[in-house]
Amino acid sequence: MSEASRDASCQVRQRVHSGVTALSVLGLICAAMVAMVAGCASPPPRAMVIVPSAPVPASMPAPMPTPAVASPAASIATAAAKPAAATPGDAARAPGVSLVPLRLPEHWQRRQVLHLRQDAELVAWPNAVWAERLETGLTRRLSQALRLRSPEQGWWTGEEALGTRRLLVEVQQLDVHASRGEVVGTLNWRLVDRQGRVLDGGSLTQRVQATVGNAQQEAEALAQWVDAQAEALAPRLQGATSP
């Protein structure tokens, strides 16, 4: 090969190498820009959803203080155990009913706001979580709803509250059908005295129609379901034997 041919071949190789290098640099720049955009695009903030409290009329007395609350599972297990022995302080307990924290099905014991799709598939609303444990919000709402409907009972909240009777509530079923705007749920309840004797009990099923198009609307629909349960439960509690 002549010297002129070799020079021409070297020039071609240099141009090809320069082109490949330029493409590589351009690729690196594009990759860096994509990574930068991805890093700047933060996910949307999650909504903190809470079961709304019941409206309280201005004439209602202040609620009774709430002591430390035991876990729902421990509360139900304690009530199901052998009757507790009477203590000297029982006679001095305040009259009224202590609402033990509700016990919910396992799939409700998480932060996601769940609803049913096609009656069989549990899905969560995007970018929304419960701001508190759902059993805490439902217990609060039930206590308020019962107090509005039966204020003469005197209501406390918590396993170790001072009421002479305890109301134990276990939710057996709680389904939110978002597509058809419906909440269906069944709960079992027992009213017991401080010695563990059952004064009354039963099962209640309520079906509530409500718009459920997002997580907050679901929280409001659950509150309506709790109110419906309280409406049915209050007369039974009024008729229960007092200690």
Side-chain angles (χ1 to χ4, degrees), residues 27-216:
L28 291 174
I29 293 175
C30 291
M33 292 180 64
V34 170
M36 183 180 299
V37 171
C40 294
S42 58
R46 295 187 298 179
M48 304 293 285
V49 182
I50 191 171
V51 176
S53 296
V56 180
S59 59
M60 284 291 292
M64 297 181 179
T66 302
V69 175
S71 68
S75 301
I76 298 295
T78 300
K82 61 182 180 180
T87 62
D90 283 345
R93 290 183 181 275
V97 181
S98 301
L99 176 61
V100 175
L102 275 65
R103 185 177 181 183
L104 299 180
E106 183 178 355
H107 63 272
W108 286 109
Q109 299 175 27
R110 60 189 67 190
R111 296 200 69 193
Q112 293 109 319
V113 185
L114 302 173
H115 64 280
L116 274 174
R117 182 164 60 190
Q118 297 181 350
D119 297 344
E121 181 185 3
L122 276 172
V123 295
W125 294 108
N127 305 318
V129 294
W130 292 112
E132 60 184 351
R133 294 176 66 91
L134 182 57
E135 58 261 36
T136 299
L138 295 184
T139 301
R140 181 185 65 252
R141 180 73 183 215
L142 181 60
S143 176
Q144 295 167 343
L146 287 171
R147 190 164 176 265
L148 285 171
R149 290 159 176 80
S150 187
E152 72 283 353
Q153 294 283 348
W155 289 96
W156 307 79
T157 303
E159 170 68 23
E160 299 302 324
L162 301 180
T164 51
R165 293 169 291 166
R166 288 181 298 162
L167 177 60
L168 311 172
V169 177
E170 182 173 5
V171 179
Q172 292 293 320
Q173 171 199 0
L174 184 56
D175 297 330
V176 178
H177 302 271
S179 60
R180 63 174 185 252
E182 184 178 68
V183 179
V184 183
T186 299
L187 60 79
N188 296 334
W189 66 277
R190 286 182 296 157
L191 185 67
V192 302
D193 63 17
R194 298 303 300 190
Q195 286 71 50
R197 295 173 298 208
V198 178
L199 304 175
D200 200 355
S203 179
L204 294 172
T205 299
Q206 298 294 336
R207 186 184 302 268
V208 172
Q209 299 293 328
T211 301
V212 186
N214 54 48
Q216 185 56 49

Side-chain angles (χ1 to χ4, degrees), residues 18-35:
S18 299
V20 171
T21 302
L23 288 175
S24 300
V25 172
L26 181 61
L28 291 174
I29 293 175
C30 291
M33 292 180 64
V34 170

